[in-house]
């Protein structure tokens, strides 16, 4: 695998090749150059490559061919710049960076702008560093953003790290770090929060790009206040008018097509019908699960969809290449096929169907006909990342039991009610029976136990509560260290014994997900890297996720995309009621509230 | 004049204004927002400004208006981003940076990317520094490029400084320096010259933009070799196919409309008819004289011309705003009207006529109806810059006399022959009479004396030769310290006494231009800043240039744009024969050649 080297080390060598004084390492002949810079298709184009970079694009690379030059005949296929994902979280795939790269390179994604937000909440800057370092073990060009909101709600939850302007400034100095990850606390930004503006300032001062995340439909004063704070992009729009508003304010509108949030069709009309110039519109996946990657694809899928939704192929491709590179200020490295740039490009037989037949990354063929053709470099996951689940003791049923106040016969409790296929929850109350001084979710109520165990510092702190809507039957429990954003150990169950068993199993496998039914583990996914990522190939991870899904159905769980809904139950920045290790959080009040109505916290 | 402050110092304040928590300093109401980002005209737009930056753009800035807010009614006029000149040399105007800013701000130019190539040849990095510092005394946002080719031809001429990778790296660390100035030695770049590639590498390593200058019509191998070396733009194209070639190679094509080189009409067809996407096409002036600025304008004139040549106003404006800002990576500061950006924008009554009625720069109204409405800040030109003419002795007629070899009656000399309205010269020979051992240009030959006196180090070195084509009559001489690129003291004359008088006058006034006829100075322009720039207002400088032009006519000079042709006679990188302080230079051979054919240098 050729090492990616900065352009400033290579200008003489590239010039020598272009001038015919030195042979190229690779020449691709007779392609149809999808020239995203000029907006043309230029037939009969040759590309000559030296090491990781392009030396020549033009009608005849013959003079650059030497005895040892690899020559690939494009035979009139299209030469397309390698696709770039403008915003995504590798952790959402549950794959390590190497396994992720192995999965998406054959799809034509050669670059990505990743926000390692999840691992940062577990391992802090060391987690960000891990992602930066592991990215170098792949042929992809991965740019890393420093997560901005670690934790999401300081004081209301316990995460493995806290980031402020100092952490951001430090990471901005690392090679491979491109800017600040989505500044999700948009009310805080609009309110002038000092820490958030400090992080933004540290990023801008270092020349980085500030990623935005304005997740409200209100395009009035709060939106304008957010826009004035410096974020350069936003991927949280869901309507065509959101694209219009963002581009007008000088931001780049990122149109997202994730596993759960399918926002492209509703937004792209801003371009196809609304007359918005597409140059500041980008495509991204944000969060795609392993199963979606396997079944539908990655950026290739998003480009295909954009074309089906009415964009000319050139426009759709630009939204996944040049536009993105320009936004992040890296268009001398990626985003187009031109001299000096990294040799990251694809051979594509038909632009509309966008079937990628060969993928060249850093000057080497890394995939052919959808199959990976290269090994990742060895990479040692630091030991610390494998020891991220720290509970401090063996959990048992008593940890999951909710003691009732004094001698009550029933207890009036705050209960989280999930809303199918939506992230927000409802805050309801329920009168729950008390048996032997212990609050029970009751029979036929659809209510289950929920617990969050702090797992970063071994404090033993547990938040306990109840949730309605998953519809568990029998004695079963689901435990997971994937629990946004602090990723404590989140446990859902109909029975404290099952909960203890599931939680213990997750601890045993060093982090991950375990589903217990009638005393036995019926599905599990080991996620040894920070309790978030597997080191297994995508097929294995997707199969395990599918088995988990089937297991949940077997447990009577009827909710659509139950695991995702579950994994957001501890995220205290999405309305309205959440549970963290510190207790129930009323998100609207941004405060801890007692489990018992008019009572104290248990 | 509000001080330009980096965005990272202002995000909280701007957010406060946009949120209505703090009053704006300036609000412009009810404009038609020329939104270069989205490509739309958005009617009924208000803009709120705090200090030098924009806090809000939207339908109602009412909440940002306080008791002390200045409110300007746009009354439906267009709000256009301040124009940016993508490539230019202030020295070509013969104006100081402050006088230049005073001249172009009323035209709507609020930003420029300048290559202080001329002053660098005289004063070295101190000259570059002077321009950077003086730029801060203006309300303009001027970005400075480090000149790359100082001197133009090392070894063949004596300049005041020599730049290499070290100088470039040093200046790249200065605030206000954006990249490397046009790398003019394109054959050297294509040949892999180590110093040039070192300068390019130093620029890229520091994150700067490498300015290109490929001045050949050959779009084959030499062009591709140049393109592989890292230059990101080029302003030397003259044909539509030059635009196409540059954009395809991932460069930005700068379309130039200078005083002498009028390249827009011939190139813009690449966009209007050729289908090239305009986003990587920029407009620039390169070299505009004071007279052109006064009579025709600056970037406003170029934008008008682009519209007349068939571009939609939005496209033409983008080529002078957003495209340029994006190219140089400064689109968070300039190039569009959007929150966070500098409040550099224009009120324009009609887009096609492009008449600028108000200019706001750094948040302040700096011009109204074509009149400057602001004072520049005081700026002290460093003493060293005023003492740049160092001859070391008083020049007299003997300095300009060419001694013949031994006892010859005639001498066969190499003679520079000028070509009207073209930069290249012809290399001819002539049999010149020898009188009293001195070579005379002869009567009725159209040949005159030419001399170049080294003026930086006081070495006393003089190069002597002859030139044909200016058509001087009587005893007259023209002397100038504007003599590209080394800017030695260049003297043209029909008579050695007149030459000594003109040269002496230039020394006396501390640098500049003097025209002597029949023993008296009939026109002069004092250029005390490095012998290149005046501190007088543009009207004065233009009038003096006009008087010089009339004086040259009075001296019988018939050549078109005689002064420009004259001022290039010492530039040993334009074919074919030139004169420097080291002697005659055969540009094709890139070597000093003797004045006498088959003889030694005098």
């Amino acid at each position: 695998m050729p090492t990616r080297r900065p352009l400033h080390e290579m200008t003489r060598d590239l010039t020598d090749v272009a001038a015919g004084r030195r042979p190229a390492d690779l020449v691709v002949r007779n392609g149809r150059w999808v020239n995203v810079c000029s907006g043309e298709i230029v037939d009969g184009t040759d590309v000559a490559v030296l090491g990781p970079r392009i030396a020549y694009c033009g009608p005849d690379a013959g003079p650059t061919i030497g005895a040892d030059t690899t020559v690939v005949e494009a035979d009139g296929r299209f030469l397309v710049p390698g696709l770039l994902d403008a915003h995504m979280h590798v952790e959402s795939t549950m794959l390590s960076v190497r396994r992720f790269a192995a999965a998406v390179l054959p799809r034509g994604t050669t670059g990505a702008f990743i926000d390692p937000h999840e691992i940062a909440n577990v391992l802090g800057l060391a987690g960000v560093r891990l992602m930066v370092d592991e990215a170098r073990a792949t042929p992809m060009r991965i740019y890393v953003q420093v997560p901005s909101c670690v934790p999401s709600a300081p004081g209301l939850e316990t995460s493995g790290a806290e980031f402020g302007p100092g952490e951001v400034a430090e990471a901005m100095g690392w090679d491979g770090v491109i800017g600040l990850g989505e500044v999700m606390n948009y009310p805080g930004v609009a309110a002038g929060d000092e820490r958030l503006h400090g992080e933004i300032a540290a990023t801008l001062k270092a020349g980085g790009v500030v990623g935005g995340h304005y997740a409200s439909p209100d395009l009035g004063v709060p939106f304008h206040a957010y826009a004035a704070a410096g974020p350069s992009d936003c991927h949280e729009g869901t309507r065509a008018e959101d694209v219009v508003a963002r581009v007008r304010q000088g931001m780049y509108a990122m149109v997202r097509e994730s596993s759960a949030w399918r926002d492209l069709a509703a937004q792209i009309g801003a371009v196809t019908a609304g007359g918005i110039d597409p140059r500041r519109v980008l495509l991204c996946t944000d969060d795609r699960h392993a199963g979606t990657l396997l079944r539908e694809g990655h950026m290739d899928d998003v480009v295909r969809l954009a074309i089906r939704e009415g964009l000319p192929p050139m426009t759709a491709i630009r939204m996944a290449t040049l536009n993105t590179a320009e936004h992040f200020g890296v268009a001398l490295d990626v985003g187009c096929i031109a001299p000096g740039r990294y040799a990251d490009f694809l051979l594509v037989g038909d632009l509309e169907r966008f079937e990628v037949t060969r993928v060249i990354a850093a000057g080497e063929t890394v995939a052919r006909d959808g199959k990976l053709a290269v090994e990742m470099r060895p990479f040692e996951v630091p030991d610390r990342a494998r020891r991220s689940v720290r509970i401090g003791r063996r959990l048992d049923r008593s940890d999951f039991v909710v003691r009732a106040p004094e001698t009550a016969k029933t207890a009036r409790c705050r209960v989280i009610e999930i809303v199918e296929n939506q992230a927000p929850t409802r805050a309801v109350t329920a009168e729950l029976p008390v048996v032997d001084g212990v609050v029970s979710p009751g029979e036929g109520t659809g209510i289950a136990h929920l617990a969050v165990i702090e797992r970063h510092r071994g404090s033993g702190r547990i938040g306990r509560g109840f949730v309605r809507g998953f519809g568990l039957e029998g004695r079963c429990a689901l435990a997971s260290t994937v629990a946004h954003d602090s990723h404590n150990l989140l446990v859902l169950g109909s029975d404290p014994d099952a909960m203890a068993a599931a939680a213990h199993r997750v601890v045993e496998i060093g982090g991950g997900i375990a589903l217990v039914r009638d005393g036995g583990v019926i599905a599990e996914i080991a996620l040894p890297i920070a309790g978030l990522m597997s080191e297994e190939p995508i097929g294995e991870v997707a199969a395990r996720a599918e088995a988990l899904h089937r297991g949940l159905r077997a447990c009577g769980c009827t909710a659509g995309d139950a695991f995702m809904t579950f994994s957001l139950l501890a995220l205290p920045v999405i309305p309205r009621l959440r549970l963290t290790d510190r207790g129930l959080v009323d998100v609207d009040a941004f405060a801890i509230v007692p489990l018992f109505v008019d009572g104290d916290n248990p």
Side-chain angles (χ1 to χ4, degrees), chain A:
Chain A
M1 190 190 307
T3 301
R4 290 187 183 264
R5 292 172 60 203
L7 177 57
H8 67 79
E9 292 179 2
M10 291 190 67
T11 67
R12 288 183 83 195
D13 296 339
L14 296 174
T15 301
D16 283 348
V17 172
R21 291 187 294 266
R22 175 182 176 153
D25 293 328
L26 167 71
V27 167
V28 177
R29 302 206 79 157
N30 187 28
R32 305 186 71 196
W33 187 11
V34 177
N35 196 307
V36 290
C37 294
S38 70
E40 306 164 296
I41 308 282
V42 184
D43 290 351
T45 297
D46 292 358
V47 177
V49 174
L50 181 76
R53 292 193 182 262
I54 296 169
Y56 171 90
C57 301
D60 183 13
T64 75
I65 299 177
D68 298 325
T69 304
T70 302
V71 177
V72 171
E73 295 295 337
D75 288 329
R77 278 175 293 177
F78 291 94
L79 308 178
V80 177
L83 303 181
L84 305 172
D85 193 336
H87 173 72
M88 62 160 293
H89 309 278
V90 172
E91 298 98 316
S92 298
T93 66
M94 293 194 199
L95 302 169
S96 70
V97 182
R98 283 162 301 154
R99 293 297 191 186
F100 164 74
V104 302
L105 277 167
R107 298 294 199 155
T109 306
T110 59
F113 297 81
I114 72 168
D115 177 358
H117 175 84
E118 318 304 348
I119 197 171
N121 269 280
V122 178
L123 300 174
L125 281 184
V128 178
R129 183 87 237 179
L130 184 158
M131 302 296 269
V132 170
D133 291 342
E134 188 176 357
R136 289 209 193 88
T138 81
M140 287 182 71
R141 184 64 182 99
I142 292 175
Y143 299 91
V144 176
Q145 299 181 298
V146 197
S148 59
C149 300
V150 178
S152 71
L156 297 184
E157 60 184 327
T158 307
S159 60
E162 294 199 11
F163 280 11
E167 282 74 16
V168 172
E170 180 180 341
M172 280 304 302
W174 299 348
D175 193 30
V177 171
I178 192 95
L180 188 65
E182 46 180 338
V183 187
M184 297 186 294
N185 185 351
Y186 56 91
V189 170
D193 178 272
E194 196 166 335
R195 180 175 72 97
L196 292 166
H197 280 267
E199 293 182 6
I200 290 171
T203 306
L204 292 172
K205 195 171 178 186
V209 175
V210 177
H213 170 115
Y214 181 80
S216 158
D218 182 352
L219 295 176
V221 169
F223 172 67
H224 285 281
Y226 188 76
S232 285
D233 59 52
C234 182
H235 56 272
E236 288 293 328
T238 57
R239 307 161 300 179
E241 66 206 79
D242 294 329
V243 171
V244 174
R246 283 153 178 80
V247 173
R248 281 186 183 169
Q249 294 294 318
M251 299 164 85
Y252 282 77
M254 291 179 173
V255 173
R256 169 177 60 188
E257 191 74 5
S258 72
S259 287
W261 323 119
R262 305 279 176 154
D263 296 321
L264 191 145
Q267 292 194 278
I268 210 66
V271 173
T272 53
I276 294 293
D277 189 303
R279 71 198 258 184
R280 284 181 167 244
V281 180
L282 315 178
L283 302 178
C284 73
T285 67
D286 200 357
D287 299 292
R288 281 211 162 197
H289 307 156
T292 311
L293 294 180
L294 262 187
R295 284 189 306 274
E296 300 171 51
H298 191 235
M299 291 302 297
D300 57 325
D301 176 55
V302 186
V303 167
R304 278 190 295 269
L305 177 61
I307 294 169
R308 281 203 306 275
E309 291 292 334
L311 286 185
M314 178 67 76
T315 306
I317 290 168
R318 284 171 145 187
M319 289 182 181
T321 58
L322 184 66
N323 298 6
T324 307
E326 288 185 349
H327 168 43
F328 286 101
V330 292
L332 286 184
D333 282 333
V334 295
C336 66
I337 301 174
R341 276 69 171 183
Y342 283 124
D344 296 343
F345 60 96
L346 322 175
L347 269 59
V348 174
D350 174 283
L351 278 196
E352 308 242 344
R353 289 200 307 273
F354 208 81
E355 283 161 5
V356 180
T357 60
R358 183 188 285 259
V359 179
I360 292 165
E364 190 180 23
T365 294
V366 296
R368 295 187 66 170
D369 300 320
K371 298 268 180 294
L372 195 69
V374 72
E375 296 269 317
M376 302 294 130
R377 288 207 183 86
F379 174 77
E380 200 62 47
V381 174
D383 242 29
R384 171 70 186 85
R386 297 187 185 280
R387 290 181 287 102
S388 72
V389 186
R390 302 173 178 192
I391 304 291
R393 67 172 189 281
R394 164 112 193 200
L395 297 164
D396 62 30
R397 81 169 268 122
S398 70
D399 287 309
F400 298 94
V401 157
V402 177
R403 301 256 150 228
E406 295 168 6
T407 57
K409 292 286 178 226
T410 63
R412 183 144 202 90
C413 297
R414 287 185 171 80
V415 172
I416 301 169
E417 185 171 273
I418 65 168
V419 184
E420 210 168 339
N421 294 322
Q422 287 195 22
T425 63
R426 295 196 193 95
V428 299
T429 58
E431 194 76 34
L432 298 182
V434 175
V435 181
D436 298 336
V438 168
V439 184
S440 157
E443 293 284 323
T445 57
I447 295 177
H449 286 279
L450 190 67
V452 177
I453 302 126
E454 191 280 305
R455 65 114 163 168
H456 303 295
R457 298 152 196 226
S459 67
R461 184 165 46 245
I462 303 184
R464 297 179 193 86
F466 295 97
V467 61
R468 177 149 69 196
F470 284 103
L472 298 183
E473 290 165 2
R475 293 180 303 116
C476 49
L478 173 65
S480 171
T481 49
V482 176
H484 300 274
D485 278 351
S486 284
H487 302 293
N488 284 308
L489 179 53
L490 177 65
V491 191
L492 166 79
S494 53
D495 169 76
D497 283 313
M499 292 172 82
H504 180 65
R505 181 59 187 161
V506 167
V507 174
E508 231 174 25
I509 59 179
I513 304 164
L515 179 62
V516 163
R517 188 183 181 199
D518 296 331
V521 175
I522 62 166
E524 71 178 28
I525 311 177
L527 302 171
I529 306 176
L532 298 170
M533 289 173 281
S534 168
E535 289 193 291
E536 303 212 62
I538 185 170
E540 188 65 31
V541 173
R544 286 179 177 276
E546 186 51 41
L548 176 71
H549 180 73
R550 283 196 308 270
L552 282 167
R553 294 263 170 238
C555 291
C557 178
T558 53
D561 211 347
F563 182 76
M564 172 172 268
T565 306
F566 163 74
S567 71
L568 296 175
L569 287 176
L571 182 54
V573 291
I574 306 186
R576 296 186 53 189
L577 194 60
R578 302 279 156 181
L579 182 71
T580 77
D581 64 305
R582 295 180 177 273
L584 279 173
V585 177
D586 177 332
V587 179
D588 299 324
F590 217 63
I592 303 286
V593 290
L595 173 60
F596 302 119
V597 178
D598 304 322
D600 297 325
N601 263 325

